[in-house]
Structures are given as C-alpha cells and as structure tokens.
Amino acid sequence: MKQNNDIVNKLRSSSLRPTKQRIRIAKYLFGRTKTFHFTVEKLNRVINQKKGLKKISLATIYNTTQAFEKAGHLKEILTNNNTCYYDTNTTSHHHFYDNETSELTDIKYQKIQLSKLPNPPKGKKIKGCEVVITLAKQ
C-alpha cells in the first residue's frame, strides 16, 4: 500500500494525474531496485502479458512514457540504429549498447574521461555529455 501512495505522490508532484494506467506503469518501472532500460514496445509486451489485468493500449504506454520523461522520471537514450530506449536511472552516466542483443548496460560516469569537448553553438551551453559505446562480436 505504501508503494501505491509513493507512486501517486510521485505522479502528483510532477503534475501528472494518477490514472489507473499510469499507476500500473509507474509501479512496474519505479518499483524495482535495479535500473531498467526499455523500449516502448518492450514495455508494452511486459505490461500486457499478465493475464487477468486489463490491457493498456500501446498509445497510452507511449504517451505515459513520454509524460514520465518530460517530468524527469525517465531518461531517453538514442542508439546508433535510431532505436529510442528509456532508462529509469536519470543520473548522469554512460552506456554500452550491444548490437546483437539490443541491450543497454550502465557505465558509471567516472569510468569515461573526455579530454576535449567542442564549443557549443552560439547562445547555447553544454548541459551534459553522455556516451553510448556500441558493442559487436569479436
């Protein structure tokens, strides 16, 4: 019951209405101890695989994911094959992307050192820099 209240409070504090669908998706995403990387399609499969629960439409899952990302609860990660992944760990960190398994793995921020960054375009500043290292079989 406490998890339900925490989820509802998390949604409300982000100005998101705690609908049944949002609560169910949020419980799945944020009620875990490990970081979770996912595509909307993968989330759709796992959310809707449980028998006896009402199905949530792909559009609702997509819109909810976007709303969570805009609220700062998820981080969007684009891979080199233009697949959009989401990450429940919103702190600054890097990733390995395995082309073969389509999996993302976290790399601690301190494990990568960049010696030089380009100057940002006029009127812009660099907010952060996160690296995605693509892996392939040897």
Side-chain angles (χ1 to χ4, degrees):
M1 190 66 163
K2 180 179 176 350
Q3 183 191 27
N4 236 13
N5 289 336
D6 291 345
I7 294 292
V8 168
N9 290 336
K10 182 175 193 145
L11 295 175
R12 284 191 175 138
S13 71
S14 306
S15 300
L16 295 171
R17 198 164 49 93
T19 63
K20 287 179 185 177
Q21 293 93 340
R22 281 184 180 158
I23 291 169
R24 189 164 138 207
I25 294 167
K27 280 167 112 176
Y28 184 81
L29 293 176
F30 309 122
R32 56 183 61 240
T33 54
K34 289 183 75 180
T35 297
F36 183 56
H37 302 103
F38 65 95
T39 62
V40 171
E41 293 77 15
K42 179 181 177 182
L43 182 61
N44 179 49
R45 281 192 304 275
V46 295
I47 287 287
N48 286 316
Q49 74 182 1
K50 296 186 179 188
K51 302 216 185 292
L53 293 176
K54 188 174 180 183
K55 299 268 187 226
I56 299 175
S57 74
L58 179 59
T60 298
I61 291 173
Y62 179 79
N63 291 335
T64 299
T65 302
Q66 293 261 309
F68 289 171
E69 191 264 332
K70 279 186 180 175
H73 301 307
L74 295 173
K75 182 186 290 190
E76 183 179 45
I77 301 157
L78 285 173
T79 60
N80 65 345
N81 67 352
N82 289 327
T83 302
C84 180
Y85 285 81
Y86 292 89
D87 190 347
T88 56
N89 179 357
T90 58
T91 64
S92 291
H93 65 285
H94 309 288
H95 292 93
F96 283 120
Y97 175 71
D98 188 324
N99 260 338
E100 195 175 322
T101 63
S102 300
E103 288 183 21
L104 284 173
T105 307
D106 289 346
I107 304 170
K108 290 185 181 177
Y109 195 77
Q110 303 82 355
K111 294 287 183 180
I112 293 180
Q113 295 180 3
L114 300 172
S115 61
K116 185 172 173 147
L117 292 175
N119 291 325
K122 190 173 184 147
K124 299 289 182 178
K125 69 177 184 174
I126 295 175
K127 181 180 173 186
C129 180
E130 295 178 8
V131 175
V132 176
I133 299 172
T134 305
L135 304 174
K137 261 188 177 175
Q138 284 186 330

